[in-house]
Amino acid sequence: MEIGILGSGLVGRTLGAKFLELGHRVTIGSRDAAKPEAIEWADAHGAAATDFAETAESAELLVNATAGIASLDVLLSIGAEALGGKVLIDVANRLDFSAGFPPFVTISHHMSLAEELQHAFPSLHVVKALNTMNAPVMVAPERVGEGVHDVFMAGDDDEAKSQVADILASFGWHRDRIRDLGGIAAARGVELYLPLWLELMRNLGTAKFNIRIVGADEAETADDDGA
Amino acid sequence: MEIGILGSGLVGRTLGAKFLELGHRVTIGSRDAAKPEAIEWADAHGAAATDFAETAESAELLVNATAGIASLDVLLSIGAEALGGKVLIDVANRLDFSAGFPPFVTISHHMSLAEELQHAFPSLHVVKALNTMNAPVMVAPERVGEGVHDVFMAGDDDEAKSQVADILASFGWHRDRIRDLGGIAAARGVELYLPLWLELMRNLGTAKFNIRIVGADEAETADDDGA
């Protein structure tokens, strides 16, 4: 598939490398088509690098890996025509680092970043996913250890979520640990989880962790647990 | 120990029953000392029931199990003198149900409920804990299944947190799953986790679940996991 990744930072490059490894074609987009790091990375990995608009136009499926505080502006600069009715996996978090670390998650209790993007582009199929872990874990869940753990999805379009679930499974996520939380408003929960994630990272001394839901479906996953 | 529980709703009564089972003396406090349900419960369980102020005065250790939107008013009505330098375990969530279900968590990104209580009463030792699960799970973690799972603490006073950790352990929490996230500001993370908890409850169809941190300390807990 033609994958367009908006954002050429660590998250975008990590996802891009995984999509390439899985046999997809990848274009990585930056504000500036001539961004040296993006071109260098694309050349080294057999991908393409260009600006946001061309990335969106060429892609069958888009990933929003831009900084969350800039994401809406990026999509507005691309415009509704180029975005069309594509699927956009939104992995971003709306973090404000202006006061240092830890950053604040600057969404309201009534509007997540994913909803904001969905409302601005009603034809786009936004699926929130993968924002609850760091990039190396997103593309290789086995990195956090032997036990299964959970990844969440939220979005209004069931077909789009089914496509995203297939992608997550191709990354190595257990099918029964890909949890569809419902419509795009459910992105609020996973975006507001970020402050706890940041505190856990600081306290655990590593970003290589995730959470696992315990109790609700122990019956189905009893084989995963022997304690 | 003399335990004073502020709030005679389901959470307060569930915690009260557990403290009684563990051999503590319990007073359960309501706005109105003559609240029939509280008196009835206290009589049936061998506890005392009175108003908030008397509950606070008689207690060595306090639990805030009031509705989060009312908690600050409750403490203000008690006053700094009766609260003194006691330990207060804050299990509340600042939920606004005025627009129906799911409620909104009405804290700002810069001030959690626990911090608000701590700032209003600097001598009080506020420890945030147990707000990330439902009451039956708080007092009996084994209810969610066989695997270990996590409970969080945040507070500025190490001695108070150590006392709360002992209480959590007496409830059945694994010592290495009682996670001290740091000072009282870390209450933001666990309070902002509530929207995800509410979405999970709706999707899982049960409140009898919890989360387990996976990956960070697999080495120590390898025996808990065989997947």
Side-chain angles (χ1 to χ4, degrees), chain B residues 22-91:
Chain B
L22 293 170
H24 300 285
R25 287 171 302 281
V26 169
T27 301
I28 200 157
S30 312
R31 195 170 297 276
D32 176 2
K35 186 178 176 184
E37 308 92 286
I39 291 171
E40 199 177 311
W41 180 88
D43 285 350
H45 287 76
T50 181
D51 63 16
F52 289 133
E54 278 195 17
T55 299
E57 269 159 34
S58 67
E60 296 168 84
L61 182 139
L62 288 165
V63 178
N64 175 33
T66 62
I69 51 166
S71 299
L72 182 58
D73 285 344
V74 168
L75 295 202
L76 288 169
S77 78
I78 294 169
E81 204 179 324
L83 293 170
K86 290 172 182 172
V87 172
L88 174 93
I89 309 178
D90 174 28
V91 309

Side-chain angles (χ1 to χ4, degrees), chain A residues 42-58:
Chain A
D43 286 349
H45 288 76
T50 181
D51 63 16
F52 289 133
E54 278 195 17
T55 299
E57 269 159 32
S58 67

